[in-house]
């Protein structure tokens, strides 16, 4: 149930003005969609060629010893990433031997949620009803309550500053058999397990935190400071109050990884192909086929995601260009809804062949053997669309009878 509801009304002339202003934004989004689609195809092709070149150049290597013959070559190497370094949180005095120590901080905060309902009125005006609901949730990043509705802030929905944030600390010396991992690859090592905390961790806390801290499960729980802002109807959940923090730690321990990079003495650096550099680390003991298959899968997924994004941007841009037509028709709400549905359909029908044509031209530029057939398909779709528009116009124009009738 909403905490409160605000009602606002926008007149027809103001809506027309807003829709006309939106044309500029629509043009920008429409043009940007072509850039997204074009650049995406180029990036996809470059990454595909990078992977293909890597497949042909890679040398499977052993991590047990440094083979000087592989110096400067692209190597694929699997072993256990190990370290004897101690990683420590200098503020909360938590330390452990491992590759990466992670501090996760969550604060109990107010969260504002809104739900808006829009109703078109006879005459073209529009009424909006916005429900504001406030919940208390644990969040790992600060929620800016200054952006809450003014009434919510007046009722005490105010979050204190988050004085401690999440952080990470990395070991400096991590080995992969006889090799040393550079910092760039150390930071890519995945996988972290929770660290068990005890009373010694509480005792090591700074004094201003220690007096408010306790252990709850695997986390340090720190009560928030009394707020200078009165909290109205704050309520609690199992003793939790706004401003409370809970802090947990996790550690990346020695684990099996596979590195794809250029060997340089007893360490690694980026291998520069004709297109993109290869400098990767993945969890597990992977062979060349499995490693490159994962890269190909990620490249395809990213390519399709950006194609959908570019198409959606084009639909939105065209819809904003045509929005004034819908608003003009909203003098009669039912007519406005019909025009609005037509605007959306037209946007889809126009965006589809334009998107395909953009991708096709990009393919002709980057890979012509695939691009030319796609361009032909796009041209056919454009021709069908134009033909349907012409036939619709003819059907809408009645034949004029003879003058002597």
């Amino acid at each position: 149930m909403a905490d409160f509801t605000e009602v606002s009304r926008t007149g027809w002339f103001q809506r027309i003005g807003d829709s006309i202003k939106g044309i500029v934004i629509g043009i920008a989004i429409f043009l940007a969609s072509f850039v997204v689609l074009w650049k995406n195809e180029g990036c996809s092709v470059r990454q595909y060629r990078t992977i293909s070149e890597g497949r042909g150049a890679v040398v499977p290597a052993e991590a047990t010893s440094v083979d000087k013959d592989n110096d400067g070559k692209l190597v694929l190497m699997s072993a256990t990433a190990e370290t004897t370094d101690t990683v420590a949180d200098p503020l909360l005095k938590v330390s452990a031997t491992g590759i990466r120590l992670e501090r996760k901080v969550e604060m109990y905060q107010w969260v504002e949620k809104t739900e808006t309902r829009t109703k078109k009125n006879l005459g073209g005006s529009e009424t909006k009803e916005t429900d504001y609901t406030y919940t208390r949730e644990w969040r790992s990043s600060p929620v800016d309550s200054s952006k809450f509705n003014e009434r919510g802030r007046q009722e005490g929905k105010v979050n204190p500053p988050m004085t401690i944030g999440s952080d990470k600390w990395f070991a400096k010396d991590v080995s992969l058999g006889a090799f040393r991992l550079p910092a760039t690859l150390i930071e890519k090592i995945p996988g972290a397990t929770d660290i068990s905390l005890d009373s010694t961790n509480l005792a090591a806390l700074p004094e201003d935190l220690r007096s408010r801290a306790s252990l709850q499960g695997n986390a340090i729980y720190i009560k928030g400071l009394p707020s200078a802002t009165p909290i109205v109807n704050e309520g609690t959940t199992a003793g939790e109050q706004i401003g409370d923090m809970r802090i947990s730690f996790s550690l990346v321990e020695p684990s099996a990884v596979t590195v794809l990079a250029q060997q340089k003495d007893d360490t690694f650096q980026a291998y520069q192909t004709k297109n993109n550099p290869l400098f990767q680390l993945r969890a597990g003991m992977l062979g060349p086929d499995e490693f490159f298959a994962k890269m190909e899968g990620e490249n395809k997924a990213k390519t399709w995601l950006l194609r959908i994004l570019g198409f959606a941007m084009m639909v939105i841009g065209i819809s904003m260009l045509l929005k004034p037509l819908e608003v003009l028709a909203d003098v009669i709400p039912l007519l406005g809804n019909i025009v609005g549905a037509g605007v959306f359909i037209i946007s889809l029908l126009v965006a589809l062949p334009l998107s395909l044509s953009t991708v096709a031209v990009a393919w002709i530029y980057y890979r012509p053997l695939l691009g030319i057939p796609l361009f032909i398909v796009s041209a056919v779709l454009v021709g069908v669309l134009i033909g349907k528009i012409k036939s619709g116009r003819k059907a809408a124009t009645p034949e004029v009878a003879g003058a002597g009738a």
Side-chain angles (χ1 to χ4, degrees):
M1 182 177 179
D3 288 85
F4 59 86
T5 301
E6 283 195 345
V7 180
S8 62
R9 184 177 181 277
T10 306
W12 185 54
F13 288 106
Q14 183 179 342
R15 291 185 62 212
I16 292 175
D18 291 342
S19 66
I20 293 174
K21 292 177 184 176
I23 290 176
V24 177
I25 300 174
I27 292 173
I29 295 175
F30 179 69
L31 295 177
S33 68
F34 289 98
V35 177
V36 170
L37 290 169
W38 181 275
K39 285 188 172 294
N40 176 50
E41 297 307 318
C43 291
S44 176
V45 170
R46 283 192 291 272
Q47 183 63 5
Y48 172 79
R49 290 172 179 169
T50 296
I51 295 170
S52 298
E53 184 177 341
R55 279 184 183 275
V58 69
V59 176
E62 297 294 333
T64 51
S65 62
V66 178
D67 187 347
K68 294 293 185 181
D69 290 340
N70 288 335
D71 233 37
K73 295 180 180 179
L74 177 65
V75 297
L76 185 77
M77 192 176 296
S78 298
T80 300
E82 299 179 299
T83 186
T84 57
D85 285 1
T86 297
V87 280
D89 179 343
L91 175 64
L92 302 182
K93 312 302 181 186
V94 175
S95 62
T97 299
I99 295 171
R100 181 173 70 250
L101 178 67
E102 299 180 1
R103 177 214 290 163
K104 180 182 179 182
V105 181
E106 298 172 288
M107 189 170 79
Y108 201 55
Q109 306 176 71
W110 287 112
V111 178
E112 180 184 75
K113 299 177 181 178
T114 61
E115 182 178 346
T116 301
R117 299 178 299 278
T118 302
K119 178 184 176 184
K120 296 178 179 180
N121 307 313
L122 188 64
S125 65
E126 190 175 69
T127 301
K128 288 185 179 180
E129 294 183 355
T130 304
D131 292 337
Y132 290 85
T133 306
Y134 296 88
T135 59
R136 294 175 291 273
E137 300 178 14
W138 288 101
R139 292 290 183 94
S140 57
S141 57
V143 178
D144 186 0
S145 58
S146 67
K147 296 180 180 179
F148 288 178
N149 181 281
E150 183 178 356
R151 179 175 168 182
R153 297 197 306 273
Q154 290 174 349
E155 293 182 358
K157 308 302 191 292
V158 178
N159 292 323
M162 199 169 181
T163 55
I164 303 175
S166 300
D167 211 337
K168 298 178 182 180
W169 296 270
F170 297 87
K172 292 183 179 180
D173 297 313
V174 179
S175 63
L176 189 74
F179 292 82
R180 295 176 295 109
L181 288 178
T184 305
L185 293 183
I186 292 173
E187 294 176 4
K188 293 181 179 180
I189 298 175
T193 55
D194 292 339
I195 295 177
S196 297
L197 304 175
D198 55 35
S199 57
T200 59
N201 299 115
L202 292 179
L205 291 174
E207 186 176 349
D208 63 320
L209 299 178
R210 193 187 317 143
S211 60
R212 298 183 280 126
S214 62
L215 281 178
Q216 288 193 8
N218 229 19
I220 296 174
Y221 195 100
I222 300 177
K223 296 296 293 181
L225 291 170
S227 175
T229 303
I231 304 297
V232 180
N233 297 325
E234 177 189 352
T236 60
T237 302
E240 298 166 339
Q241 295 181 355
I242 298 299
D244 290 359
M245 290 187 292
R246 60 186 183 193
I247 306 171
S248 58
F249 290 86
S250 57
L251 181 70
V252 175
E253 299 180 285
S255 59
V257 298
T258 300
V259 170
L260 178 70
Q262 184 181 62
Q263 181 178 316
K264 180 175 174 59
D265 299 325
D266 64 343
T267 187
F268 306 96
Q269 64 182 19
Y271 179 86
Q272 187 59 54
T273 69
K274 293 178 181 179
N275 293 276
N276 299 326
L278 287 171
F279 196 38
Q280 296 203 10
L281 180 147
R282 295 175 184 270
M285 311 282 280
L286 306 177
D289 290 340
E290 189 176 2
F291 198 102
F292 285 107
K294 287 181 179 292
M295 291 181 65
E296 288 173 344
E298 291 169 359
N299 187 40
K300 289 178 182 178
K302 179 183 177 183
T303 300
W304 275 105
L305 180 64
L306 289 176
R307 282 172 183 164
I308 294 171
L309 174 62
F311 173 70
M313 288 174 63
M314 193 172 291
V315 172
I316 292 170
I318 296 171
S319 296
M320 294 182 73
L321 290 172
L322 300 177
K323 183 69 174 178
L325 298 177
E326 178 185 351
V327 177
L328 286 171
D330 274 340
V331 174
I332 302 176
L334 179 60
L335 179 60
N337 292 337
I338 295 173
V339 173
V343 164
F344 179 69
I345 293 172
I346 291 172
S347 299
L348 286 175
L349 292 176
V350 174
L352 181 59
L354 284 179
S355 297
L356 288 175
S357 298
T358 304
V359 173
V361 173
W363 278 18
I364 291 174
Y365 182 79
Y366 291 111
R367 40 185 174 183
L369 291 179
L370 293 174
I372 293 174
L374 180 61
F375 185 78
I376 294 173
V377 172
S378 302
V380 170
L381 285 175
V382 172
V384 170
L385 178 62
I386 294 173
K388 285 187 175 295
I389 292 174
K390 288 182 177 179
S391 62
R393 287 177 178 174
K394 290 181 178 180
T397 305
E399 293 185 5
V400 182

